[in-house]
């Protein structure tokens, strides 16, 4: 199997007056594990349906492996799709499920069976082929669906939230399984999810999408460390938020006047003096202080709550109506008993200033 690249040029989708996907350019590389990440209703499935050919774009064109796909039906495209709610055929054995697409293509039984077991091996189910789907666990059924989709040797596998029906433990396990299968086959995966943890652990690159618009396409590290928008900064991972106005600039840093005083941070998008901005600090970059004594970027707060995560603790502090959080390794006095802590601070290089925009939870 070999992956192909996918290119969207000016692709948009309108349903009546409603624009589900605004004009979008996107290039997914051959053999890449690419995720589209965004909240419910932002247009993820719509993009996938256009790539698979079940939906015709209102504007623009899609190329797969360099070939224009306009006018090419879903079954003629080098793609396979795994739906949000997958369904296996309950009365067929596992191997027959996997081989279903091959029967449609006229493969005879011995060859079908051989190919099906080869694919079941690939998804670590080589010894389960003669069972029926009801005799498998949820995660195993999901892997059967992947094997079935791979049977027709697609160059591109489109996965629409395939893990959403599984419980958390299984979902986490399946992340590495899927990643493994992708690496072994070299097939291009386009993976849709609203779960940022899923997108970060599995992908080479992520597109962050909001209300029909892709706001950022980047490597996982870049999306987390250098979010392009206020939405991306708050949808992917947690962030502390300070609103204010830029009052001075200093090389690649800027000072922002906030209601808690002047705070200094990185200014990657060159916000000018006078601009209204949002300053973000990741909880793991927040330092906890027993007292505030004029340190740069410090604010006085009151301790509110400690959430134990096992190896980590999340500490929540309050100032007026604002809640701030710090994420600490679960070791040492402060992590064990933060009740006496009175302040938070951060290094200027650990804060990031971005233009004002909608936050993920607003
Ligand atoms: N056939 C349709 N006719 C009219 N509106 C549609 C149609 N399909 C989707 N929409 C609308 O387009 C928007 C995007 O839908 P889409 O299914 O792409 O969202 P999504 O990002 O996949 O969401 P979810 O995470 O809930 O699956 C939604 O507001 C939806 O109501
Ligand atoms: Mg969807």
């Amino acid at each position: 199997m070999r992956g192909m690249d996918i290119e969207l040029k000016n692709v948009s989708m309108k349903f009546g007056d409603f624009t589900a996907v605004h004009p979008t350019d996107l290039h997914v590389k051959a053999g890449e594990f690419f995720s589209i990440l965004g909240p419910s209703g932002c247009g993820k499935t719509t993009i996938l349906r256009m790539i698979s050919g079940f939906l015709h774009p209102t504007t623009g064109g899609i190329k797969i492996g360099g070939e224009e796909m306009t006018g090419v039906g879903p079954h003629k495209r080098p793609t396979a799709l795994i739906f949000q709610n997958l369904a296996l055929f309950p009365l067929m054995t596992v191997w027959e499920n996997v081989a279903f697409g091959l029967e449609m293509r006229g493969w005879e039984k011995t060859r079908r069976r051989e190919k099906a077991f080869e694919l079941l091996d690939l998804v670590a189910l080589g010894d389960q082929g003669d069972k029926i789907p009801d005799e498998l666990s949820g995660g195993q059924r999901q892997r059967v669906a992947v094997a079935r989709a791979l049977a027709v040797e697609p160059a591109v596998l489109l996965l629409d939230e395939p893990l959403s029906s599984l419980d958390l433990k299984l979902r986490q396990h399946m992340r590495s399984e899927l990643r493994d299968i992708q690496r072994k086959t070299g097939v291009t995966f386009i993976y849709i999810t609203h779960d940022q943890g899923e997108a970060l652990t599995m992908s080479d690159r992520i597109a962050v999408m909001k209300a029909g618009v892709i706001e950022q396409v980047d490597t996982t590290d870049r999306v987390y460390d250098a979010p392009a928008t206020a939405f991306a900064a708050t949808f992917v991972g947690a962030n502390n938020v300070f609103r204010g106005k830029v009052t001075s600039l200093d090389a690649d840093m800027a000072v922002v006047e906030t209601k808690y005083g002047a705070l200094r941070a990185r200014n990657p998008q060159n916000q000018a003096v006078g601009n209204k901005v949002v300053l973000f600090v990741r909880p793991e970059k927040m330092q906890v202080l027993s007292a505030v004594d004029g340190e740069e970027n410090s604010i006085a707060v009151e301790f509110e709550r400690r959430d134990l995560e096992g190896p980590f603790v999340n500490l929540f502090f309050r100032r007026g109506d604002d809640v701030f959080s710090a994420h600490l390794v679960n070791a040492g006095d402060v992590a064990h008993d933060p009740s006496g802590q009175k302040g938070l601070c951060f290094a200027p290089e650990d804060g990031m200033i971005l233009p004002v925009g909608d936050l993920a939870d607003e």
Side-chain angles (χ1 to χ4, degrees):
M1 284 183 238
R2 258 189 73 181
M4 287 182 180
D5 71 325
I6 300 108
E7 200 175 352
L8 274 63
K9 258 215 150 101
N10 196 40
V11 167
S12 72
M13 187 67 225
K14 272 187 151 189
F15 297 112
D17 285 343
F18 175 71
T19 305
V21 176
H22 291 271
T24 297
D25 292 333
L26 182 66
H27 188 203
V28 178
K29 296 173 203 160
E32 187 169 39
F33 197 124
F34 189 91
S35 291
I36 301 179
L37 172 66
S40 184
C42 73
K44 304 181 296 296
T45 295
T46 303
I47 290 193
L48 219 62
R49 289 175 68 206
M50 291 191 286
I51 295 172
S52 60
F54 289 103
L55 203 58
H56 299 294
T58 308
T59 67
I62 296 170
K63 282 185 182 170
I64 302 179
E67 298 237 352
E68 180 58 51
M69 287 291 126
T70 310
V72 179
H75 301 292
K76 295 265 157 59
R77 297 191 181 195
T79 55
L81 180 61
I82 297 181
F83 290 98
Q84 224 155 343
N85 297 306
L86 87 126
L88 297 175
F89 304 112
L91 301 178
M92 291 184 188
T93 63
V94 164
W95 84 260
E96 285 167 338
N97 264 280
V98 173
F100 181 73
L102 303 176
E103 186 170 3
M104 310 276 293
R105 291 178 181 209
W107 287 39
E108 53 95 18
K109 186 165 174 186
T110 328
R111 225 175 125 218
R112 286 203 312 268
R113 193 183 150 91
E114 202 173 300
K115 178 76 180 176
F117 274 89
E118 206 176 284
L119 287 159
L120 285 168
D121 264 342
L122 179 75
V123 297
L125 290 175
D127 51 353
Q128 309 282 320
D130 291 315
K131 287 187 172 175
I132 57 165
D134 265 357
E135 295 169 327
L136 299 180
S137 72
Q140 290 172 329
R141 280 200 291 272
Q142 211 69 41
R143 278 183 278 159
V144 174
V146 172
R148 183 172 65 180
L150 292 173
V152 297
E153 306 210 330
V156 178
L157 186 60
L158 307 167
L159 303 104
D160 194 349
E161 311 216 24
L163 306 184
S164 51
S165 62
L166 305 181
D167 67 47
L168 180 67
K169 261 253 153 35
L170 201 47
R171 219 156 59 215
Q172 285 173 339
H173 175 68
M174 279 302 292
R175 290 175 184 176
S176 50
E177 301 264 325
L178 281 178
R179 179 77 231 199
D180 240 36
I181 295 166
Q182 192 272 331
R183 286 208 180 110
K184 276 193 218 154
T185 58
V187 167
T188 311
F189 274 35
I190 301 189
Y191 188 92
I192 284 197
T193 180
H194 58 263
D195 180 332
Q196 43 102 15
E198 227 168 81
L200 287 175
T201 41
M202 289 192 292
S203 320
D204 295 308
R205 290 192 305 152
I206 298 178
V208 182
M209 195 170 179
K210 169 181 164 264
V213 176
I214 291 179
E215 294 206 338
Q216 181 170 13
V217 179
D218 243 321
T219 61
T220 48
D221 277 307
R222 292 272 309 161
V223 165
Y224 189 79
D225 293 330
T229 63
F231 175 77
T234 43
F235 193 75
V236 184
N239 241 320
N240 290 289
V241 175
F242 300 91
R243 294 173 185 282
K245 212 180 233 187
V246 176
T247 52
S248 69
L249 302 174
D250 152 27
D252 56 350
M253 298 276 177
V255 176
V256 176
E257 194 56 41
T258 72
K259 62 180 165 180
Y260 305 123
L263 301 175
R264 195 161 72 93
R266 288 187 292 127
N267 182 19
Q269 294 184 27
N270 300 314
Q271 294 301 296
V273 171
N275 283 13
K276 280 191 177 163
V277 295
V278 195
L279 192 162
F280 293 102
V281 185
R282 294 278 186 203
E284 68 272 23
K285 300 286 175 62
M286 273 293 189
Q287 294 156 44
V288 179
L289 303 172
S290 55
V292 174
D293 190 18
E295 291 89 351
E296 183 175 33
N297 289 345
S298 62
I299 63 163
V301 290
E302 277 166 35
F303 172 71
E304 190 167 88
R305 187 174 99 243
R306 170 183 181 266
D307 285 357
L308 179 63
E309 236 186 70
F312 304 103
V313 291
N314 291 311
L315 308 181
F316 295 90
F317 298 87
R318 180 173 285 280
R319 171 88 176 254
D321 289 337
D322 293 325
V323 174
F324 300 103
S325 65
H327 181 82
L328 269 62
V329 172
N330 186 11
D333 293 345
V334 173
H336 288 140
D337 178 14
S339 58
Q341 303 302 308
K342 297 269 187 270
L344 293 170
C345 76
F346 60 92
E349 53 277 13
D350 288 337
M352 195 169 74
I353 295 165
L354 290 175
V356 171
D358 294 340
L359 305 183
D361 44 3
E362 280 180 344

